Amino acid sequence: MISLRQKLNEYIRIKGTVSYFEIKDKVENGYFGRRYKISNAERRLRESESPDIEAIIQGGHIVSYKHKRPIQFREARVLGDNGEVLKIIKVPIE
């Protein structure tokens, strides 16, 4: 079973930077498997538990969380049979 800390860390790593209110909404509405209090998420994202996550503070309040080494993506084009671009996707750079 994956812990809330691991789920939050991976979510922020993929997104790069996530607002406090987005985390609050997702945690309280069960996005990570069940509902949690925001205080639980804040505790899991503290530097002592999540050293790769940095809290961005403005005016004495956390406004967002940022991953110190986010996943880098490159854009790739999906081409149709006749060479037209069907869509553009983001592919992680390893």
Side-chain angles (χ1 to χ4, degrees), residues 1-88:
M1 184 166 153
I2 300 174
S3 69
L4 175 61
R5 182 190 63 78
Q6 291 170 313
K7 291 176 185 177
L8 287 167
N9 276 261
E10 187 62 23
Y11 183 78
I12 295 169
R13 183 170 182 237
I14 290 169
K15 293 277 200 164
T17 301
V18 181
S19 76
Y20 174 84
F21 295 107
E22 182 178 348
I23 293 290
K24 182 179 186 309
D25 179 57
K26 294 205 179 292
V27 166
E28 291 178 346
N29 289 312
Y31 180 84
F32 297 106
R34 59 175 274 235
R35 293 179 179 193
Y36 296 93
K37 293 181 181 179
I38 185 61
S39 60
N40 195 351
E42 290 171 346
R43 186 171 48 256
R44 300 298 168 234
L45 292 171
R46 287 182 188 153
E47 189 174 358
S48 59
E49 283 197 39
S50 299
D52 291 335
I53 303 296
E54 178 182 352
I56 309 300
I57 300 173
Q58 290 179 354
H61 303 282
I62 297 172
V63 293
S64 62
Y65 292 98
K66 178 181 174 183
H67 200 282
K68 294 178 181 175
R69 292 173 292 166
I71 295 176
Q72 300 294 317
F73 293 94
R74 67 176 175 84
E75 288 188 352
R77 295 184 196 146
V78 178
L79 302 176
D81 293 336
N82 59 359
E84 69 181 68
V85 177
L86 298 177
K87 61 182 171 181
I88 298 175

